[in-house]
Amino acid sequence: MTVSVFRDLHHGRTPGDPLVLPGPWDAASARVLADAGFPALATPSAGVAASLGYEDGATPAAEMFAAVARIVRAVPVPVSADIEAGYGLPPKELVERLLDTGAVGCNLEDSADGVLKDPQRQADRLAEVRAVAGDQLFVNARVDTYVRGVPDGTDPETETIARARLYAAAGADCVYPIAAPPESLPRLAAAIPAPLNVFALPDGPTPRRLGELGATRITFGPGLQRQAMAAVRRIADRLHAL
């Protein structure tokens, strides 16, 4: 499936009907999700890391790209890949390696080692990625203000909007203010000139409600992988008790 198909899925959506992108962590889970009828998938870096035996953020680039490639090969729907902050790779190599996996899109986050990056430098990097990739990749720019914190005296919502606007101007197709509170979504959606990716929590608003609040697309991070592992643990406990 082409990037144009994936890009089109983000546009023309009505409130309450966001694009729901479950997160497969391996080829088997990807097949289950594709067979369930989802039109596209978005890998979570933390879920893939867990499936490979790594802590979140510790997966070597080569192993992450190989895992993404296996997921892409397993399903007939577009796959976007969470590639964290890009593993320190220069834009040309990053784009080439990502395209080699067959993925049609990527997440790129604006923090490293738990610290927010300078927003203009991140915007410049996104612009380089866009220049190299052309229209071959759908770039989802993650904004980490709510998970990393902002300087004292800075309003998180104001900083989020400022960063998101910079990233959209640099060529990002979508912005992802991860962990933004639901009550902020209407203001974020109104102020940011790009589709809005929202992270859904098991005990939070439903995808439909998040769409009504302004979300264009919904992702789940490693949530599905963790629920699946919890189910495996329950099965293991029952087996152990036999």
Side-chain angles (χ1 to χ4, degrees), residues 102-121:
V104 300
C106 66
N107 283 6
L108 282 171
E109 58 197 50
D110 67 348
S111 65
D113 301 320
V115 179
L116 284 172
K117 297 181 178 182
D118 176 82
Q120 187 57 61
R121 289 187 179 181

Side-chain angles (χ1 to χ4, degrees), residues 11-69:
H11 296 282
R13 309 201 73 88
T14 59
D17 181 34
L19 174 62
V20 177
L21 298 177
W25 55 94
D26 60 13
S29 60
R31 288 194 182 108
V32 169
L33 296 169
D35 288 347
F38 290 99
L41 306 173
T43 70
S45 61
V48 173
S51 76
L52 297 173
Y54 293 102
E55 295 297 321
D56 185 21
T59 309
E63 293 198 45
M64 182 62 76
F65 288 124
V68 171

Side-chain angles (χ1 to χ4, degrees), residues 110 116 143-147 149-151 153-167 175-193 196 213:
D110 67 348
L116 284 172
V143 184
D144 286 358
T145 43
Y146 290 103
V147 292
V150 296
T154 302
D155 176 60
E157 191 174 294
T158 300
E159 179 67 14
T160 298
I161 290 170
R163 285 174 176 263
R165 285 175 168 170
L166 271 177
Y167 303 161
V175 294
Y176 179 17
I178 186 171
E183 61 269 20
S184 292
L185 296 181
R187 294 185 294 275
L188 294 177
I192 297 169
L196 195 67
L213 291 171

Side-chain angles (χ1 to χ4, degrees), residues 82-137:
D82 183 349
I83 52 171
E84 303 174 279
Y87 309 108
L89 298 173
K92 186 174 187 298
E93 182 180 354
L94 181 65
V95 170
E96 289 174 349
R97 294 181 71 172
L98 188 56
L99 290 176
D100 283 346
T101 70
V104 300
C106 66
N107 283 6
L108 282 171
E109 58 197 50
D110 67 348
S111 65
D113 301 320
V115 179
L116 284 172
K117 297 181 178 182
D118 176 82
Q120 187 57 61
R121 289 187 179 181
Q122 178 69 359
D124 291 343
R125 178 167 169 79
L126 290 168
E128 290 183 62
V129 169
R130 170 56 66 214
V132 173
D135 62 358
Q136 296 182 82
L137 281 178

